[in-house]
PDB file of all heavy atoms in Angstrom:
ATOM      1  N   ASP A1209     109.422 -47.791-124.865  1.00 98.00           N
ATOM      2  CA  ASP A1209     109.794 -47.104-123.646  1.00 98.00           C
ATOM      3  C   ASP A1209     108.506 -46.739-122.896  1.00 98.00           C
ATOM      4  O   ASP A1209     107.419 -46.762-123.485  1.00 98.00           O
ATOM      5  CB  ASP A1209     110.583 -45.856-124.077  1.00 98.00           C
ATOM      6  CG  ASP A1209     110.905 -44.923-122.948  1.00 98.00           C
ATOM      7  OD1 ASP A1209     111.149 -45.410-121.829  1.00 98.00           O
ATOM      8  OD2 ASP A1209     110.926 -43.691-123.195  1.00 98.00           O
ATOM      9  N   ILE A1210     108.615 -46.384-121.632  1.00 98.00           N
ATOM     10  CA  ILE A1210     107.413 -46.128-120.831  1.00 98.00           C
ATOM     11  C   ILE A1210     107.168 -44.617-120.639  1.00 98.00           C
ATOM     12  O   ILE A1210     106.143 -44.094-121.054  1.00 98.00           O
ATOM     13  CB  ILE A1210     107.518 -46.880-119.485  1.00 98.00           C
ATOM     14  CG1 ILE A1210     107.593 -48.396-119.765  1.00 98.00           C
ATOM     15  CG2 ILE A1210     106.332 -46.535-118.580  1.00 98.00           C
ATOM     16  CD1 ILE A1210     108.085 -49.247-118.623  1.00 98.00           C
ATOM     17  N   GLY A1211     108.129 -43.899-120.017  1.00 98.00           N
ATOM     18  CA  GLY A1211     107.954 -42.470-119.759  1.00 98.00           C
ATOM     19  C   GLY A1211     107.903 -41.667-121.046  1.00 98.00           C
ATOM     20  O   GLY A1211     108.804 -41.724-121.861  1.00 98.00           O
ATOM     21  N   GLU A1212     106.832 -40.934-121.247  1.00 98.00           N
ATOM     22  CA  GLU A1212     106.577 -40.059-122.397  1.00 98.00           C
ATOM     23  C   GLU A1212     106.286 -40.813-123.704  1.00 98.00           C
ATOM     24  O   GLU A1212     106.085 -40.202-124.749  1.00 98.00           O
ATOM     25  CB  GLU A1212     107.684 -39.009-122.613  1.00 98.00           C
ATOM     26  CG  GLU A1212     107.732 -37.951-121.520  1.00 98.00           C
ATOM     27  CD  GLU A1212     106.428 -37.170-121.367  1.00 98.00           C
ATOM     28  OE1 GLU A1212     105.635 -37.156-122.308  1.00 98.00           O
ATOM     29  OE2 GLU A1212     106.201 -36.597-120.283  1.00 98.00           O
ATOM     30  N   ILE A1213     106.295 -42.148-123.639  1.00 98.00           N
ATOM     31  CA  ILE A1213     105.818 -42.917-124.783  1.00 98.00           C
ATOM     32  C   ILE A1213     104.434 -43.472-124.436  1.00 98.00           C
ATOM     33  O   ILE A1213     103.470 -43.256-125.147  1.00 98.00           O
ATOM     34  CB  ILE A1213     106.795 -44.057-125.146  1.00 98.00           C
ATOM     35  CG1 ILE A1213     108.125 -43.459-125.623  1.00 98.00           C
ATOM     36  CG2 ILE A1213     106.183 -44.976-126.214  1.00 98.00           C
ATOM     37  CD1 ILE A1213     108.027 -42.625-126.891  1.00 98.00           C
ATOM     38  N   VAL A1214     104.356 -44.131-123.289  1.00 98.00           N
ATOM     39  CA  VAL A1214     103.071 -44.655-122.820  1.00 98.00           C
ATOM     40  C   VAL A1214     102.466 -43.688-121.792  1.00 98.00           C
ATOM     41  O   VAL A1214     101.275 -43.396-121.825  1.00 98.00           O
ATOM     42  CB  VAL A1214     103.265 -46.051-122.191  1.00 98.00           C
ATOM     43  CG1 VAL A1214     102.010 -46.525-121.484  1.00 98.00           C
ATOM     44  CG2 VAL A1214     103.698 -47.048-123.275  1.00 98.00           C
ATOM     45  N   ILE A1215     103.310 -43.224-120.872  1.00 98.00           N
ATOM     46  CA  ILE A1215     102.853 -42.409-119.740  1.00 98.00           C
ATOM     47  C   ILE A1215     103.207 -40.938-119.942  1.00 98.00           C
ATOM     48  O   ILE A1215     104.377 -40.587-120.119  1.00 98.00           O
ATOM     49  CB  ILE A1215     103.516 -42.910-118.429  1.00 98.00           C
ATOM     50  CG1 ILE A1215     103.136 -44.371-118.132  1.00 98.00           C
ATOM     51  CG2 ILE A1215     103.156 -41.995-117.253  1.00 98.00           C
ATOM     52  CD1 ILE A1215     101.687 -44.601-117.758  1.00 98.00           C
ATOM     53  N   GLU A1217     104.071 -37.718-118.355  1.00 98.00           N
ATOM     54  CA  GLU A1217     104.674 -37.485-117.032  1.00 98.00           C
ATOM     55  C   GLU A1217     104.339 -36.111-116.448  1.00 98.00           C
ATOM     56  O   GLU A1217     104.971 -35.679-115.479  1.00 98.00           O
ATOM     57  CB  GLU A1217     106.193 -37.688-117.116  1.00 98.00           C
ATOM     58  CG  GLU A1217     106.546 -39.146-117.425  1.00 98.00           C
ATOM     59  CD  GLU A1217     108.039 -39.424-117.508  1.00 98.00           C
ATOM     60  OE1 GLU A1217     108.788 -38.527-117.953  1.00 98.00           O
ATOM     61  OE2 GLU A1217     108.457 -40.523-117.122  1.00 98.00           O
ATOM     62  N   GLY A1303     111.332 -49.987-120.013  1.00 98.00           N
ATOM     63  CA  GLY A1303     111.925 -48.667-119.819  1.00 98.00           C
ATOM     64  C   GLY A1303     112.588 -48.545-118.464  1.00 98.00           C
ATOM     65  O   GLY A1303     112.523 -49.459-117.635  1.00 98.00           O
ATOM     66  N   ASN A1304     113.220 -47.384-118.263  1.00 98.00           N
ATOM     67  CA  ASN A1304     113.852 -47.089-116.979  1.00 98.00           C
ATOM     68  C   ASN A1304     112.768 -46.712-115.976  1.00 98.00           C
ATOM     69  O   ASN A1304     112.200 -45.613-116.047  1.00 98.00           O
ATOM     70  CB  ASN A1304     114.822 -45.911-117.117  1.00 98.00           C
ATOM     71  CG  ASN A1304     116.126 -46.294-117.793  1.00 98.00           C
ATOM     72  OD1 ASN A1304     116.370 -47.465-118.090  1.00 98.00           O
ATOM     73  ND2 ASN A1304     116.978 -45.311-118.035  1.00 98.00           N
ATOM     74  N   GLN A1305     112.470 -47.618-115.071  1.00 98.00           N
ATOM     75  CA  GLN A1305     111.435 -47.376-114.056  1.00 98.00           C
ATOM     76  C   GLN A1305     111.772 -48.193-112.832  1.00 98.00           C
ATOM     77  O   GLN A1305     112.382 -49.251-112.928  1.00 98.00           O
ATOM     78  CB  GLN A1305     110.055 -47.832-114.563  1.00 98.00           C
ATOM     79  CG  GLN A1305     109.510 -47.061-115.755  1.00 98.00           C
ATOM     80  CD  GLN A1305     109.072 -45.641-115.441  1.00 98.00           C
ATOM     81  OE1 GLN A1305     108.736 -45.325-114.298  1.00 98.00           O
ATOM     82  NE2 GLN A1305     109.089 -44.779-116.447  1.00 98.00           N
ATOM     83  N   LYS A1333     118.919 -48.044-119.135  1.00 98.00           N
ATOM     84  CA  LYS A1333     119.342 -47.369-120.350  1.00 98.00           C
ATOM     85  C   LYS A1333     120.175 -46.148-119.952  1.00 98.00           C
ATOM     86  O   LYS A1333     119.852 -45.537-118.935  1.00 98.00           O
ATOM     87  CB  LYS A1333     118.132 -46.873-121.159  1.00 98.00           C
ATOM     88  CG  LYS A1333     117.226 -47.964-121.660  1.00 98.00           C
ATOM     89  CD  LYS A1333     116.046 -47.408-122.425  1.00 98.00           C
ATOM     90  CE  LYS A1333     115.080 -46.666-121.539  1.00 98.00           C
ATOM     91  NZ  LYS A1333     113.860 -46.207-122.226  1.00 98.00           N
ATOM     92  N   TYR A1356     112.603 -50.484-131.412  1.00 98.00           N
ATOM     93  CA  TYR A1356     112.534 -49.834-130.101  1.00 98.00           C
ATOM     94  C   TYR A1356     111.978 -48.424-130.287  1.00 98.00           C
ATOM     95  O   TYR A1356     112.476 -47.650-131.099  1.00 98.00           O
ATOM     96  CB  TYR A1356     113.905 -49.788-129.406  1.00 98.00           C
ATOM     97  CG  TYR A1356     113.742 -49.403-127.951  1.00 98.00           C
ATOM     98  CD1 TYR A1356     113.347 -50.347-127.014  1.00 98.00           C
ATOM     99  CD2 TYR A1356     113.907 -48.091-127.532  1.00 98.00           C
ATOM    100  CE1 TYR A1356     113.119 -49.999-125.686  1.00 98.00           C
ATOM    101  CE2 TYR A1356     113.682 -47.722-126.209  1.00 98.00           C
ATOM    102  CZ  TYR A1356     113.294 -48.686-125.290  1.00 98.00           C
ATOM    103  OH  TYR A1356     113.059 -48.335-123.975  1.00 98.00           O
ATOM    104  N   VAL A1357     110.958 -48.113-129.501  1.00 98.00           N
ATOM    105  CA  VAL A1357     110.243 -46.837-129.617  1.00 98.00           C
ATOM    106  C   VAL A1357     110.525 -46.011-128.366  1.00 98.00           C
ATOM    107  O   VAL A1357     110.185 -46.440-127.254  1.00 98.00           O
ATOM    108  CB  VAL A1357     108.723 -47.083-129.744  1.00 98.00           C
ATOM    109  CG1 VAL A1357     107.983 -45.763-129.913  1.00 98.00           C
ATOM    110  CG2 VAL A1357     108.421 -48.035-130.901  1.00 98.00           C
ATOM    111  N   GLY A1358     111.164 -44.841-128.521  1.00 98.00           N
ATOM    112  CA  GLY A1358     111.482 -44.029-127.356  1.00 98.00           C
ATOM    113  C   GLY A1358     111.456 -42.544-127.664  1.00 98.00           C
ATOM    114  O   GLY A1358     111.457 -42.135-128.828  1.00 98.00           O
ATOM    115  N   ASP A1359     111.428 -41.737-126.592  1.00 98.00           N
ATOM    116  CA  ASP A1359     111.364 -40.279-126.752  1.00 98.00           C
ATOM    117  C   ASP A1359     112.730 -39.620-126.652  1.00 98.00           C
ATOM    118  O   ASP A1359     112.863 -38.451-126.972  1.00 98.00           O
ATOM    119  CB  ASP A1359     110.438 -39.659-125.692  1.00 98.00           C
ATOM    120  CG  ASP A1359     110.928 -39.912-124.276  1.00 98.00           C
ATOM    121  OD1 ASP A1359     111.103 -41.092-123.898  1.00 98.00           O
ATOM    122  OD2 ASP A1359     111.166 -38.933-123.532  1.00 98.00           O
ATOM    123  N   ARG A1360     113.742 -40.365-126.181  1.00 98.00           N
ATOM    124  CA  ARG A1360     115.049 -39.730-125.962  1.00 98.00           C
ATOM    125  C   ARG A1360     116.077 -40.224-126.967  1.00 98.00           C
ATOM    126  O   ARG A1360     116.210 -41.423-127.208  1.00 98.00           O
ATOM    127  CB  ARG A1360     115.541 -40.006-124.536  1.00 98.00           C
ATOM    128  CG  ARG A1360     114.735 -39.237-123.498  1.00 98.00           C
ATOM    129  CD  ARG A1360     115.242 -39.458-122.092  1.00 98.00           C
ATOM    130  NE  ARG A1360     116.619 -39.052-121.894  1.00 98.00           N
ATOM    131  CZ  ARG A1360     117.123 -38.598-120.747  1.00 98.00           C
ATOM    132  NH1 ARG A1360     116.319 -38.467-119.707  1.00 98.00           N
ATOM    133  NH2 ARG A1360     118.388 -38.277-120.638  1.00 98.00           N
ATOM    134  N   ASN A1363     119.036 -41.864-124.583  1.00 98.00           N
ATOM    135  CA  ASN A1363     118.721 -43.083-123.825  1.00 98.00           C
ATOM    136  C   ASN A1363     118.042 -44.159-124.660  1.00 98.00           C
ATOM    137  O   ASN A1363     118.035 -45.322-124.262  1.00 98.00           O
ATOM    138  CB  ASN A1363     117.768 -42.748-122.669  1.00 98.00           C
ATOM    139  CG  ASN A1363     118.505 -42.379-121.412  1.00 98.00           C
ATOM    140  OD1 ASN A1363     119.728 -42.274-121.415  1.00 98.00           O
ATOM    141  ND2 ASN A1363     117.786 -42.170-120.342  1.00 98.00           N
ATOM    142  N   ASP A1364     117.422 -43.762-125.751  1.00 98.00           N
ATOM    143  CA  ASP A1364     116.601 -44.693-126.529  1.00 98.00           C
ATOM    144  C   ASP A1364     117.154 -44.920-127.941  1.00 98.00           C
ATOM    145  O   ASP A1364     117.556 -46.032-128.279  1.00 98.00           O
ATOM    146  CB  ASP A1364     115.162 -44.168-126.627  1.00 98.00           C
ATOM    147  CG  ASP A1364     114.511 -43.961-125.258  1.00 98.00           C
ATOM    148  OD1 ASP A1364     114.689 -44.825-124.378  1.00 98.00           O
ATOM    149  OD2 ASP A1364     113.829 -42.939-125.068  1.00 98.00           O
ATOM    150  N   ARG A1380     107.897 -36.445-128.447  1.00 98.00           N
ATOM    151  CA  ARG A1380     107.018 -35.799-127.468  1.00 98.00           C
ATOM    152  C   ARG A1380     107.659 -35.833-126.089  1.00 98.00           C
ATOM    153  O   ARG A1380     108.560 -36.619-125.827  1.00 98.00           O
ATOM    154  CB  ARG A1380     105.636 -36.416-127.475  1.00 98.00           C
ATOM    155  CG  ARG A1380     105.509 -37.806-126.901  1.00 98.00           C
ATOM    156  CD  ARG A1380     104.038 -38.206-126.985  1.00 98.00           C
ATOM    157  NE  ARG A1380     103.780 -39.610-126.733  1.00 98.00           N
ATOM    158  CZ  ARG A1380     102.671 -40.236-127.134  1.00 98.00           C
ATOM    159  NH1 ARG A1380     101.760 -39.591-127.819  1.00 98.00           N
ATOM    160  NH2 ARG A1380     102.490 -41.507-126.858  1.00 98.00           N
ATOM    161  N   TRP A1383     112.202 -34.151-123.496  1.00 98.00           N
ATOM    162  CA  TRP A1383     113.404 -34.611-124.208  1.00 98.00           C
ATOM    163  C   TRP A1383     113.127 -34.764-125.697  1.00 98.00           C
ATOM    164  O   TRP A1383     113.926 -34.380-126.537  1.00 98.00           O
ATOM    165  CB  TRP A1383     113.922 -35.913-123.590  1.00 98.00           C
ATOM    166  CG  TRP A1383     114.655 -35.682-122.300  1.00 98.00           C
ATOM    167  CD1 TRP A1383     116.019 -35.556-122.144  1.00 98.00           C
ATOM    168  CD2 TRP A1383     114.087 -35.527-120.985  1.00 98.00           C
ATOM    169  NE1 TRP A1383     116.312 -35.321-120.806  1.00 98.00           N
ATOM    170  CE2 TRP A1383     115.151 -35.305-120.081  1.00 98.00           C
ATOM    171  CE3 TRP A1383     112.790 -35.553-120.483  1.00 98.00           C
ATOM    172  CZ2 TRP A1383     114.953 -35.110-118.706  1.00 98.00           C
ATOM    173  CZ3 TRP A1383     112.583 -35.349-119.115  1.00 98.00           C
ATOM    174  CH2 TRP A1383     113.662 -35.139-118.247  1.00 98.00           C
TER     175      TRP A1383
HETATM  176 MG1   MG B2889     110.994 -42.022-122.008  1.00 54.97          MG
END
Side-chain angles (χ1 to χ4, degrees):
D1209 173 35
I1210 298 163
E1212 291 301 340
I1213 295 297
V1214 170
I1215 299 291
E1217 294 181 327
N1304 284 355
Q1305 295 289 335
K1333 297 179 291 185
Y1356 193 80
V1357 182
D1359 61 303
R1360 289 182 60 150
N1363 270 5
D1364 302 318
R1380 71 179 168 201
W1383 283 264

